[in-house]
Amino acid sequence: MRLYNLAPATAKAAVVLLSLCLGIGLFAQPPIKTPDPFDIEYPDDEEPSAEQVALGKVLFFDKRLSGKQNMSCASCHNPDLGFGDGFTKGVGSNGTILGRNTPHLYNLAWNTLFFWDGRAASLEEQALGPIQSDVEMNLKLPDLIERLRAVPYYQKHFAEAYPDHQPAVSETTIGHAIASFERTLISDNAPFDRFMAGDTHAMSDEARRGMALFLGKARCINCHNGPNFTDNGFHNIGVSKGDDLGRAAIQKGATTERAFKTPGLRNVLLTGPYMHDGSIGSLEAVVRHYIDAPKQSGTLSPQMEKIELSHLEILDLVAFMGALTDPIEVTPPKVP
Amino acid sequence: MVFNAFRRRLLLGCAFFLGLLTPIAAGEISGTLSFEKKPPSVGLAYMADDHGLSKSDNPKLDQKDQQFIQPMVVAPVGAKISFVNSDNTDHNVYAADADAGADFDIGLASPGSEIEQEVTWQDDMVIKVGCKIHPKMRAYVASVDSRYHQVIEFDRTQKTHNFRLEVPASVSVFRLWLPNYEPVEIKIEAGKEATAQLIKKGKIYGSITLKRN
């Protein structure tokens, strides 16, 4: 009797599941889910110590890292602005407008290559880039090391965090500390995560419909897949029309021209304006780009499938992206 | 690997019947790898003093779910590797390893495609292959021509791993390759045991113990 009563519901669930499977190509993409800390690849498989992370946080907020001592990492990657700056393109310490948009820093612990064109292979390597760049922080590393060694706080804390390193303040330890702090910027408790954990009320009806579209006919899943909604890959989605060749400037190939890194979409509501050049102002406009771009240009990534969405469906997709919001509160440390 | 072992037995069997070869007492090396931290994803154990692996096997390296299905293929110089795209997304397999002289790019490979690449680079090297579209994809190609080899896939949640390698009496030079580790070479005769350290960037990260019957 009982079984009989349940049968229609089970059958319905099976049909829903089946159509979902078909819609997303039999689960062929890495599934969207809550990220697993076990999958983080630390350099040499060593998790950083609490001291190293705390030191990295202070460095991230310290304006000593720029030549004129007027800019820290947090000036551009502002925790209150989704670890971006809200500008179309970044602005350097002497006012120069940079070539690209400042990306967010959420869940980069799981990422493989860094920058929009993937030119840095680790967060450690990446961190030393903006410090030395003459249009960004414009400070030579030996000068930075000298500056930090002159501060008693840093003398003490570098020595404590890196007892095996002689000297304790070095390019290696500065890069390691900053990267270690960045790997703690983890957002994994959005309404989407609670929904996946079984709390069906965590996402609105709109967001749930948006999720089905995201996985299904809107084809976002082609590239925004895996726990952080990125394949960590490079695609030409038709944003760059000027001379920024993206990945191709780093690696030649049939698939790298005007290809840029797929950004992770966690907290995407907070990280506008969007794209490598900051050229799209709202999430609604982003979705419209995916409807329009495949109709205009023939040289896009083959994963840019032609899609059609109604106005309501566009809003549903935006609602789903909104359900990926779980801001990270970072209290700025006391910089010595 | 299973296929290789089976074929080898078949070959040995045929040779025995034809009387072309005196029967070889097949022995076995059993090994244990212990890691202090998370193990690497894959390793290769092989007998370096055998050179009998056929060039005409055409090993396949398949891609699905934005991953290489096999973490490593063994393909001697002159063999052709078939890159199969069983995924529903495009891939672009390439390698750029200056030390080994390996530099190829098979271009855009659509779902369902199969593209061959000959192993033209240095013998006895393990190179990394990747995908230009999906840099998270990683696999290895070993230009090794030993019939007595085994690709070891590690369960990364476990720190201890066992493997067995069937070996004839004629070979004795065991080698272990692990990504980013220093290669290990151990000469081991029947009835003997041996241990060595697993070293990465000058630091000890584990050990290997071998036993040959």
Side-chain angles (χ1 to χ4, degrees), chain A residues 25 27-30 38-41 44-46 110-113 222 225 231-235 251-256 302-303, chain B residues 37-39 64-66 87-92 94 105 107-108 111 131-136 138 156-157 200-201 203 205:
Chain A
F27 290 113
Q29 275 87 16
F38 182 81
D39 296 331
I40 298 177
E41 295 201 15
D44 295 326
D45 291 328
E46 300 262 8
W110 287 273
N111 194 72
T112 6
L113 296 177
N222 287 1
N225 51 45
D231 57 2
N232 299 293
F234 298 91
H235 308 272
Q251 189 175 53
K252 293 260 165 296
T255 54
T256 57
Q303 266 67 61
Chain B
K37 304 228 166 78
K38 239 203 251 186
K64 202 167 194 296
D65 302 347
Q66 290 174 25
D87 218 338
N88 62 357
T89 185
D90 296 286
H91 292 301
N92 180 357
Y94 79 104
D105 177 351
L108 181 72
C131 168
K132 285 194 175 170
I133 306 173
H134 304 102
K136 219 165 189 152
R138 217 184 291 161
R156 304 196 73 188
T157 62
K200 187 166 74 171
K201 290 192 188 157
K203 275 199 257 171
Y205 275 88

Short mmCIF file of all heavy atoms in Angstrom, two decimals, chain A residues 25 27-30 38-41 44-46 110-113 222 225 231-235 251-256 302-303, chain B residues 37-39 64-66 87-92 94 105 107-108 111 131-136 138 156-157 200-201 203 205:
data_model
loop_
_atom_site.label_atom_id
_atom_site.label_comp_id
_atom_site.label_asym_id
_atom_site.label_seq_id
_atom_site.Cartn_x
_atom_site.Cartn_y
_atom_site.Cartn_z
N GLY A 25 23.82 16.83 -20.35
CA GLY A 25 24.70 15.89 -21.03
C GLY A 25 25.17 14.78 -20.12
O GLY A 25 26.37 14.52 -20.02
N PHE A 27 25.55 14.47 -16.93
CA PHE A 27 26.50 14.88 -15.89
C PHE A 27 27.95 14.89 -16.38
O PHE A 27 28.85 14.53 -15.66
CB PHE A 27 26.41 13.95 -14.67
CG PHE A 27 25.13 14.11 -13.90
CD1 PHE A 27 24.19 13.11 -13.86
CD2 PHE A 27 24.88 15.29 -13.24
CE1 PHE A 27 23.00 13.26 -13.14
CE2 PHE A 27 23.70 15.47 -12.52
CZ PHE A 27 22.76 14.45 -12.49
N ALA A 28 28.15 15.25 -17.65
CA ALA A 28 29.51 15.14 -18.18
C ALA A 28 30.43 16.25 -17.69
O ALA A 28 31.63 16.12 -17.79
CB ALA A 28 29.47 15.12 -19.70
N GLN A 29 29.88 17.32 -17.16
CA GLN A 29 30.76 18.37 -16.65
C GLN A 29 31.02 18.10 -15.17
O GLN A 29 30.17 17.53 -14.50
CB GLN A 29 30.10 19.75 -16.80
CG GLN A 29 30.32 20.37 -18.16
CD GLN A 29 29.26 19.94 -19.14
OE1 GLN A 29 28.23 19.43 -18.73
NE2 GLN A 29 29.52 20.15 -20.41
N PRO A 30 32.18 18.56 -14.69
CA PRO A 30 32.40 18.47 -13.25
C PRO A 30 31.22 19.13 -12.54
O PRO A 30 30.84 20.25 -12.88
CB PRO A 30 33.70 19.25 -13.05
CG PRO A 30 34.39 19.18 -14.38
CD PRO A 30 33.31 19.16 -15.41
N PHE A 38 39.82 19.38 0.96
CA PHE A 38 40.81 18.33 0.68
C PHE A 38 41.43 18.51 -0.71
O PHE A 38 42.58 18.11 -0.93
CB PHE A 38 40.14 16.94 0.77
CG PHE A 38 41.10 15.80 0.53
CD1 PHE A 38 41.92 15.35 1.56
CD2 PHE A 38 41.23 15.22 -0.73
CE1 PHE A 38 42.83 14.32 1.34
CE2 PHE A 38 42.13 14.19 -0.95
CZ PHE A 38 42.94 13.73 0.08
N ASP A 39 40.68 19.11 -1.62
CA ASP A 39 41.18 19.26 -3.00
C ASP A 39 42.11 20.45 -3.19
O ASP A 39 42.58 20.69 -4.29
CB ASP A 39 40.00 19.38 -3.96
CG ASP A 39 39.15 18.12 -3.98
OD1 ASP A 39 39.71 17.03 -3.73
OD2 ASP A 39 37.93 18.21 -4.22
N ILE A 40 42.34 21.23 -2.14
CA ILE A 40 43.27 22.36 -2.28
C ILE A 40 44.69 21.82 -2.39
O ILE A 40 45.09 20.96 -1.61
CB ILE A 40 43.19 23.31 -1.06
CG1 ILE A 40 41.78 23.89 -0.95
CG2 ILE A 40 44.24 24.41 -1.16
CD1 ILE A 40 41.58 24.79 0.26
N GLU A 41 45.41 22.29 -3.41
CA GLU A 41 46.80 21.85 -3.53
C GLU A 41 47.72 22.93 -2.98
O GLU A 41 47.96 23.94 -3.61
CB GLU A 41 47.13 21.54 -5.00
CG GLU A 41 46.33 20.36 -5.48
CD GLU A 41 46.93 19.67 -6.69
OE1 GLU A 41 48.11 19.92 -7.02
OE2 GLU A 41 46.18 18.90 -7.32
N ASP A 44 54.02 22.11 -2.03
CA ASP A 44 54.66 21.02 -1.28
C ASP A 44 53.71 20.33 -0.31
O ASP A 44 54.15 19.73 0.67
CB ASP A 44 55.89 21.52 -0.51
CG ASP A 44 56.97 21.99 -1.46
OD1 ASP A 44 57.09 21.42 -2.56
OD2 ASP A 44 57.68 22.95 -1.11
N ASP A 45 52.40 20.43 -0.57
CA ASP A 45 51.40 19.80 0.28
C ASP A 45 51.48 20.22 1.75
O ASP A 45 51.05 19.51 2.63
CB ASP A 45 51.50 18.26 0.20
CG ASP A 45 51.07 17.76 -1.16
OD1 ASP A 45 50.19 18.40 -1.76
OD2 ASP A 45 51.61 16.74 -1.61
N GLU A 46 52.03 21.40 1.99
CA GLU A 46 52.12 21.89 3.37
C GLU A 46 51.03 22.92 3.59
O GLU A 46 51.05 23.97 2.95
CB GLU A 46 53.45 22.61 3.62
CG GLU A 46 54.68 21.81 3.41
CD GLU A 46 55.26 21.25 4.70
OE1 GLU A 46 54.61 21.35 5.76
OE2 GLU A 46 56.36 20.69 4.61
N TRP A 110 41.48 26.92 -5.07
CA TRP A 110 41.26 25.76 -5.94
C TRP A 110 41.65 26.05 -7.39
O TRP A 110 41.48 25.20 -8.26
CB TRP A 110 39.79 25.36 -5.91
CG TRP A 110 39.39 24.70 -4.63
CD1 TRP A 110 39.48 23.37 -4.34
CD2 TRP A 110 38.82 25.32 -3.48
NE1 TRP A 110 39.01 23.14 -3.06
CE2 TRP A 110 38.60 24.31 -2.52
CE3 TRP A 110 38.47 26.65 -3.15
CZ2 TRP A 110 38.04 24.58 -1.27
CZ3 TRP A 110 37.92 26.90 -1.91
CH2 TRP A 110 37.71 25.87 -0.98
N ASN A 111 42.12 27.26 -7.64
CA ASN A 111 42.39 27.67 -9.01
C ASN A 111 43.78 27.21 -9.48
O ASN A 111 44.64 26.92 -8.66
CB ASN A 111 42.29 29.20 -9.09
CG ASN A 111 42.22 29.69 -10.50
OD1 ASN A 111 41.21 29.54 -11.15
ND2 ASN A 111 43.30 30.26 -10.98
N THR A 112 43.97 27.12 -10.80
CA THR A 112 45.27 26.63 -11.30
C THR A 112 46.19 27.72 -11.84
O THR A 112 47.35 27.77 -11.48
CB THR A 112 45.09 25.63 -12.47
OG1 THR A 112 43.73 25.57 -12.83
CG2 THR A 112 45.60 24.28 -12.11
N LEU A 113 45.67 28.56 -12.73
CA LEU A 113 46.50 29.61 -13.30
C LEU A 113 45.87 30.96 -12.96
O LEU A 113 44.65 31.06 -12.86
CB LEU A 113 46.62 29.47 -14.82
CG LEU A 113 47.31 28.20 -15.34
CD1 LEU A 113 47.29 28.16 -16.86
CD2 LEU A 113 48.74 28.12 -14.83
N ASN A 222 28.69 24.72 -19.45
CA ASN A 222 29.80 24.35 -20.36
C ASN A 222 31.14 24.83 -19.83
O ASN A 222 32.16 24.18 -20.02
CB ASN A 222 29.59 24.97 -21.75
CG ASN A 222 28.49 24.28 -22.53
OD1 ASN A 222 27.87 23.36 -22.02
ND2 ASN A 222 28.26 24.72 -23.76
N ASN A 225 31.66 25.40 -14.46
CA ASN A 225 31.32 24.14 -13.78
C ASN A 225 32.27 23.88 -12.62
O ASN A 225 33.23 24.63 -12.39
CB ASN A 225 31.32 22.99 -14.81
CG ASN A 225 32.58 22.95 -15.64
OD1 ASN A 225 33.67 23.09 -15.10
ND2 ASN A 225 32.43 22.78 -16.94
N ASP A 231 35.72 26.31 -14.89
CA ASP A 231 36.53 25.18 -15.35
C ASP A 231 38.01 25.53 -15.28
O ASP A 231 38.86 24.79 -15.75
CB ASP A 231 36.14 24.79 -16.79
CG ASP A 231 36.29 25.94 -17.76
OD1 ASP A 231 36.72 27.04 -17.34
OD2 ASP A 231 35.97 25.77 -18.95
N ASN A 232 38.31 26.71 -14.73
CA ASN A 232 39.68 27.23 -14.67
C ASN A 232 40.29 27.33 -16.06
O ASN A 232 41.50 27.32 -16.21
CB ASN A 232 40.58 26.36 -13.77
CG ASN A 232 40.07 26.31 -12.35
OD1 ASN A 232 40.09 27.31 -11.65
ND2 ASN A 232 39.55 25.17 -11.93
N GLY A 233 39.43 27.39 -17.06
CA GLY A 233 39.90 27.34 -18.44
C GLY A 233 39.88 28.70 -19.13
O GLY A 233 39.57 29.73 -18.52
N PHE A 234 40.24 28.69 -20.41
CA PHE A 234 40.34 29.92 -21.21
C PHE A 234 39.47 29.82 -22.44
O PHE A 234 39.59 28.86 -23.21
CB PHE A 234 41.79 30.17 -21.61
CG PHE A 234 42.69 30.35 -20.42
CD1 PHE A 234 43.34 29.26 -19.86
CD2 PHE A 234 42.85 31.59 -19.84
CE1 PHE A 234 44.14 29.41 -18.73
CE2 PHE A 234 43.64 31.76 -18.71
CZ PHE A 234 44.29 30.67 -18.16
N HIS A 235 38.59 30.80 -22.62
CA HIS A 235 37.66 30.76 -23.75
C HIS A 235 37.51 32.14 -24.35
O HIS A 235 37.51 33.14 -23.62
CB HIS A 235 36.28 30.29 -23.30
CG HIS A 235 36.30 29.00 -22.53
ND1 HIS A 235 36.23 27.78 -23.14
CD2 HIS A 235 36.40 28.76 -21.21
CE1 HIS A 235 36.27 26.83 -22.22
NE2 HIS A 235 36.38 27.40 -21.04
N GLN A 251 50.37 31.92 -24.52
CA GLN A 251 50.48 30.59 -25.12
C GLN A 251 49.79 30.63 -26.48
O GLN A 251 48.59 30.87 -26.57
CB GLN A 251 49.79 29.57 -24.20
CG GLN A 251 50.02 28.14 -24.61
CD GLN A 251 49.41 27.17 -23.61
OE1 GLN A 251 48.24 27.26 -23.27
NE2 GLN A 251 50.21 26.24 -23.13
N LYS A 252 50.59 30.37 -27.55
CA LYS A 252 50.01 30.36 -28.90
C LYS A 252 49.17 29.11 -29.08
O LYS A 252 49.38 28.11 -28.41
CB LYS A 252 51.13 30.37 -29.93
CG LYS A 252 51.94 31.65 -29.96
CD LYS A 252 51.49 32.54 -31.10
CE LYS A 252 52.00 33.96 -30.98
NZ LYS A 252 51.51 34.69 -29.80
N GLY A 253 48.24 29.16 -30.00
CA GLY A 253 47.47 27.96 -30.27
C GLY A 253 46.14 28.30 -30.93
O GLY A 253 45.71 29.46 -30.95
N ALA A 254 45.52 27.26 -31.46
CA ALA A 254 44.27 27.45 -32.20
C ALA A 254 43.14 27.90 -31.29
O ALA A 254 42.14 28.45 -31.74
CB ALA A 254 43.88 26.14 -32.89
N THR A 255 43.29 27.66 -29.98
CA THR A 255 42.16 27.90 -29.09
C THR A 255 42.41 29.04 -28.10
O THR A 255 41.58 29.29 -27.23
CB THR A 255 41.86 26.63 -28.27
OG1 THR A 255 43.06 26.23 -27.61
CG2 THR A 255 41.39 25.50 -29.16
N THR A 256 43.56 29.73 -28.23
CA THR A 256 43.88 30.69 -27.17
C THR A 256 43.65 32.15 -27.55
O THR A 256 43.69 33.03 -26.69
CB THR A 256 45.35 30.53 -26.71
OG1 THR A 256 46.20 30.69 -27.85
CG2 THR A 256 45.59 29.15 -26.12
N PRO A 302 33.70 27.01 -29.35
CA PRO A 302 32.55 26.18 -29.71
C PRO A 302 31.63 25.91 -28.51
O PRO A 302 30.49 25.49 -28.69
CB PRO A 302 33.18 24.87 -30.20
CG PRO A 302 34.60 25.21 -30.50
CD PRO A 302 34.98 26.36 -29.62
N GLN A 303 32.14 26.16 -27.29
CA GLN A 303 31.28 25.97 -26.12
C GLN A 303 30.29 27.11 -25.94
O GLN A 303 29.41 27.06 -25.09
CB GLN A 303 32.15 25.85 -24.86
CG GLN A 303 32.48 24.43 -24.48
CD GLN A 303 33.38 23.76 -25.49
OE1 GLN A 303 34.49 24.19 -25.73
NE2 GLN A 303 32.91 22.71 -26.11
N LYS B 37 53.02 12.75 3.72
CA LYS B 37 51.87 13.63 3.47
C LYS B 37 51.03 13.01 2.37
O LYS B 37 51.17 11.85 2.05
CB LYS B 37 52.38 15.00 3.04
CG LYS B 37 53.35 15.63 4.03
CD LYS B 37 52.97 17.06 4.31
CE LYS B 37 53.68 17.59 5.53
NZ LYS B 37 55.08 17.95 5.29
N LYS B 38 50.18 13.85 1.77
CA LYS B 38 49.37 13.38 0.64
C LYS B 38 50.27 12.82 -0.45
O LYS B 38 51.23 13.46 -0.85
CB LYS B 38 48.66 14.61 0.06
CG LYS B 38 47.15 14.54 0.06
CD LYS B 38 46.58 15.46 -1.00
CE LYS B 38 45.89 16.68 -0.49
NZ LYS B 38 45.21 17.53 -1.41
N PRO B 39 49.97 11.64 -0.97
CA PRO B 39 50.80 11.12 -2.06
C PRO B 39 50.53 11.89 -3.35
O PRO B 39 49.52 12.58 -3.45
CB PRO B 39 50.32 9.67 -2.20
CG PRO B 39 48.93 9.69 -1.70
CD PRO B 39 48.87 10.73 -0.63
N LYS B 64 37.55 12.75 -20.72
CA LYS B 64 36.13 12.79 -20.39
C LYS B 64 35.95 13.60 -19.12
O LYS B 64 36.82 13.61 -18.26
CB LYS B 64 35.62 11.36 -20.17
CG LYS B 64 34.12 11.22 -20.34
CD LYS B 64 33.75 9.73 -20.43
CE LYS B 64 32.37 9.56 -20.93
NZ LYS B 64 31.28 10.01 -20.19
N ASP B 65 34.81 14.27 -18.99
CA ASP B 65 34.50 15.08 -17.81
C ASP B 65 35.64 16.05 -17.48
O ASP B 65 35.99 16.26 -16.32
CB ASP B 65 34.23 14.20 -16.58
CG ASP B 65 33.09 13.24 -16.82
OD1 ASP B 65 32.37 13.41 -17.83
OD2 ASP B 65 32.93 12.30 -16.02
N GLN B 66 36.20 16.64 -18.52
CA GLN B 66 37.31 17.59 -18.36
C GLN B 66 38.46 17.01 -17.54
O GLN B 66 39.06 17.67 -16.70
CB GLN B 66 36.79 18.89 -17.74
CG GLN B 66 35.94 19.63 -18.76
CD GLN B 66 35.27 20.86 -18.21
OE1 GLN B 66 35.75 21.45 -17.25
NE2 GLN B 66 34.19 21.26 -18.84
N ASP B 87 34.71 13.39 -24.50
CA ASP B 87 34.00 14.38 -23.71
C ASP B 87 32.93 15.04 -24.57
O ASP B 87 32.88 14.84 -25.77
CB ASP B 87 34.99 15.43 -23.22
CG ASP B 87 34.68 15.88 -21.81
OD1 ASP B 87 33.52 15.73 -21.40
OD2 ASP B 87 35.58 16.40 -21.14
N ASN B 88 32.09 15.86 -23.94
CA ASN B 88 31.16 16.62 -24.77
C ASN B 88 31.61 18.07 -24.92
O ASN B 88 30.83 18.94 -25.25
CB ASN B 88 29.73 16.51 -24.23
CG ASN B 88 29.64 17.10 -22.84
OD1 ASN B 88 30.65 17.52 -22.27
ND2 ASN B 88 28.45 17.14 -22.29
N THR B 89 32.90 18.29 -24.65
CA THR B 89 33.44 19.63 -24.83
C THR B 89 34.75 19.51 -25.60
O THR B 89 35.35 18.45 -25.63
CB THR B 89 33.63 20.30 -23.45
OG1 THR B 89 34.03 21.64 -23.64
CG2 THR B 89 34.67 19.60 -22.61
N ASP B 90 35.19 20.61 -26.25
CA ASP B 90 36.44 20.55 -27.02
C ASP B 90 37.65 20.47 -26.10
O ASP B 90 37.62 20.97 -24.99
CB ASP B 90 36.57 21.82 -27.86
CG ASP B 90 35.48 21.92 -28.88
OD1 ASP B 90 35.54 21.17 -29.86
OD2 ASP B 90 34.55 22.73 -28.67
N HIS B 91 38.70 19.88 -26.60
CA HIS B 91 39.98 19.90 -25.89
C HIS B 91 41.09 20.25 -26.87
O HIS B 91 40.90 20.22 -28.09
CB HIS B 91 40.24 18.57 -25.19
CG HIS B 91 39.30 18.33 -24.05
ND1 HIS B 91 39.20 19.19 -22.99
CD2 HIS B 91 38.39 17.35 -23.83
CE1 HIS B 91 38.26 18.74 -22.16
NE2 HIS B 91 37.76 17.64 -22.65
N ASN B 92 42.25 20.56 -26.31
CA ASN B 92 43.40 20.93 -27.14
C ASN B 92 44.66 20.43 -26.43
O ASN B 92 45.28 21.15 -25.66
CB ASN B 92 43.42 22.46 -27.31
CG ASN B 92 44.58 22.94 -28.15
OD1 ASN B 92 45.44 22.17 -28.59
ND2 ASN B 92 44.65 24.23 -28.39
N TYR B 94 48.35 19.27 -25.61
CA TYR B 94 49.67 19.72 -26.02
C TYR B 94 50.70 19.29 -24.99
O TYR B 94 50.34 18.88 -23.87
CB TYR B 94 49.69 21.25 -26.15
CG TYR B 94 49.81 21.95 -24.81
CD1 TYR B 94 51.03 22.51 -24.40
CD2 TYR B 94 48.73 21.99 -23.93
CE1 TYR B 94 51.14 23.11 -23.15
CE2 TYR B 94 48.84 22.59 -22.69
CZ TYR B 94 50.05 23.15 -22.32
OH TYR B 94 50.16 23.73 -21.08
N ASP B 105 51.27 20.04 -30.34
CA ASP B 105 49.98 20.67 -30.09
C ASP B 105 49.02 20.08 -31.10
O ASP B 105 49.17 20.31 -32.30
CB ASP B 105 50.11 22.19 -30.27
CG ASP B 105 48.79 22.92 -30.09
OD1 ASP B 105 47.74 22.25 -29.99
OD2 ASP B 105 48.81 24.16 -30.07
N GLY B 107 46.00 20.71 -31.59
CA GLY B 107 44.98 21.66 -32.05
C GLY B 107 43.62 21.38 -31.46
O GLY B 107 43.48 20.60 -30.51
N LEU B 108 42.61 22.01 -32.03
CA LEU B 108 41.26 21.88 -31.51
C LEU B 108 40.73 20.49 -31.80
O LEU B 108 40.65 20.07 -32.95
CB LEU B 108 40.36 22.93 -32.15
CG LEU B 108 38.90 22.93 -31.69
CD1 LEU B 108 38.77 23.47 -30.28
CD2 LEU B 108 38.05 23.77 -32.63
N PRO B 111 34.53 16.92 -29.72
CA PRO B 111 34.03 15.68 -29.12
C PRO B 111 33.97 14.57 -30.16
O PRO B 111 33.58 14.80 -31.30
CB PRO B 111 32.63 16.07 -28.64
CG PRO B 111 32.69 17.54 -28.42
CD PRO B 111 33.65 18.07 -29.44
N CYS B 131 45.93 20.46 -21.48
CA CYS B 131 44.95 20.95 -22.44
C CYS B 131 45.04 22.47 -22.41
O CYS B 131 45.03 23.07 -21.34
CB CYS B 131 43.55 20.49 -22.03
SG CYS B 131 42.23 21.31 -22.93
N LYS B 132 45.15 23.09 -23.58
CA LYS B 132 45.29 24.54 -23.62
C LYS B 132 44.01 25.25 -23.19
O LYS B 132 44.06 26.41 -22.79
CB LYS B 132 45.71 25.00 -25.02
CG LYS B 132 47.17 24.71 -25.30
CD LYS B 132 47.71 25.44 -26.50
CE LYS B 132 49.21 25.17 -26.61
NZ LYS B 132 49.76 25.65 -27.89
N ILE B 133 42.88 24.57 -23.30
CA ILE B 133 41.62 25.20 -22.90
C ILE B 133 41.38 25.00 -21.40
O ILE B 133 40.90 25.89 -20.71
CB ILE B 133 40.43 24.61 -23.70
CG1 ILE B 133 40.71 24.74 -25.20
CG2 ILE B 133 39.12 25.31 -23.32
CD1 ILE B 133 39.68 24.05 -26.08
N HIS B 134 41.75 23.81 -20.90
CA HIS B 134 41.47 23.46 -19.50
C HIS B 134 42.76 23.13 -18.77
O HIS B 134 43.15 21.96 -18.69
CB HIS B 134 40.52 22.26 -19.44
CG HIS B 134 39.24 22.48 -20.19
ND1 HIS B 134 39.00 21.94 -21.43
CD2 HIS B 134 38.14 23.20 -19.87
CE1 HIS B 134 37.80 22.32 -21.84
NE2 HIS B 134 37.26 23.08 -20.92
N PRO B 135 43.44 24.13 -18.23
CA PRO B 135 44.77 23.87 -17.64
C PRO B 135 44.73 22.94 -16.43
O PRO B 135 45.78 22.49 -16.00
CB PRO B 135 45.28 25.26 -17.27
CG PRO B 135 44.09 26.14 -17.27
CD PRO B 135 43.08 25.55 -18.19
N LYS B 136 43.56 22.67 -15.89
CA LYS B 136 43.51 21.77 -14.74
C LYS B 136 43.72 20.31 -15.18
O LYS B 136 44.03 19.45 -14.36
CB LYS B 136 42.17 21.91 -14.02
CG LYS B 136 42.37 21.82 -12.53
CD LYS B 136 41.23 22.29 -11.69
CE LYS B 136 41.73 22.31 -10.26
NZ LYS B 136 41.08 23.26 -9.42
N ARG B 138 45.56 17.17 -16.55
CA ARG B 138 46.97 16.82 -16.47
C ARG B 138 47.10 15.32 -16.65
O ARG B 138 46.34 14.55 -16.08
CB ARG B 138 47.47 17.18 -15.08
CG ARG B 138 48.85 17.70 -15.02
CD ARG B 138 49.25 17.93 -13.60
NE ARG B 138 48.55 19.04 -12.95
CZ ARG B 138 48.48 19.18 -11.62
NH1 ARG B 138 49.00 18.29 -10.81
NH2 ARG B 138 47.84 20.20 -11.09
N ARG B 156 44.52 9.38 -2.92
CA ARG B 156 45.23 10.45 -2.22
C ARG B 156 44.84 10.59 -0.75
O ARG B 156 45.43 11.38 -0.02
CB ARG B 156 45.09 11.77 -2.97
CG ARG B 156 45.59 11.63 -4.41
CD ARG B 156 45.83 12.95 -5.06
NE ARG B 156 47.04 13.58 -4.54
CZ ARG B 156 47.39 14.82 -4.83
NH1 ARG B 156 46.64 15.55 -5.60
NH2 ARG B 156 48.50 15.33 -4.33
N THR B 157 43.84 9.82 -0.32
CA THR B 157 43.49 9.88 1.11
C THR B 157 44.32 8.88 1.92
O THR B 157 44.28 8.87 3.14
CB THR B 157 42.00 9.56 1.33
OG1 THR B 157 41.75 8.22 0.89
CG2 THR B 157 41.10 10.51 0.55
N LYS B 200 61.84 14.86 -2.44
CA LYS B 200 61.29 15.92 -3.29
C LYS B 200 61.94 17.22 -2.85
O LYS B 200 61.94 17.52 -1.65
CB LYS B 200 59.76 15.97 -3.10
CG LYS B 200 59.05 16.90 -4.03
CD LYS B 200 57.53 16.66 -4.03
CE LYS B 200 56.86 17.17 -2.78
NZ LYS B 200 55.38 17.13 -2.88
N LYS B 201 62.46 17.98 -3.76
CA LYS B 201 63.13 19.25 -3.45
C LYS B 201 64.11 19.10 -2.28
O LYS B 201 64.13 19.93 -1.37
CB LYS B 201 62.11 20.33 -3.12
CG LYS B 201 61.30 20.78 -4.33
CD LYS B 201 60.52 22.03 -4.01
CE LYS B 201 59.57 22.38 -5.13
NZ LYS B 201 58.47 23.21 -4.68
N LYS B 203 64.02 17.22 0.23
CA LYS B 203 63.47 16.80 1.52
C LYS B 203 62.88 15.40 1.42
O LYS B 203 62.36 15.01 0.38
CB LYS B 203 62.35 17.75 1.96
CG LYS B 203 62.86 18.98 2.70
CD LYS B 203 61.73 19.63 3.51
CE LYS B 203 61.19 20.87 2.84
NZ LYS B 203 60.00 21.43 3.44
N TYR B 205 60.18 12.74 1.81
CA TYR B 205 58.72 12.74 1.91
C TYR B 205 58.14 11.34 2.07
O TYR B 205 56.93 11.17 2.08
CB TYR B 205 58.09 13.41 0.68
CG TYR B 205 58.02 14.90 0.80
CD1 TYR B 205 59.08 15.71 0.41
CD2 TYR B 205 56.88 15.51 1.34
CE1 TYR B 205 59.02 17.08 0.52
CE2 TYR B 205 56.81 16.88 1.46
CZ TYR B 205 57.88 17.67 1.05
OH TYR B 205 57.81 19.03 1.18
#
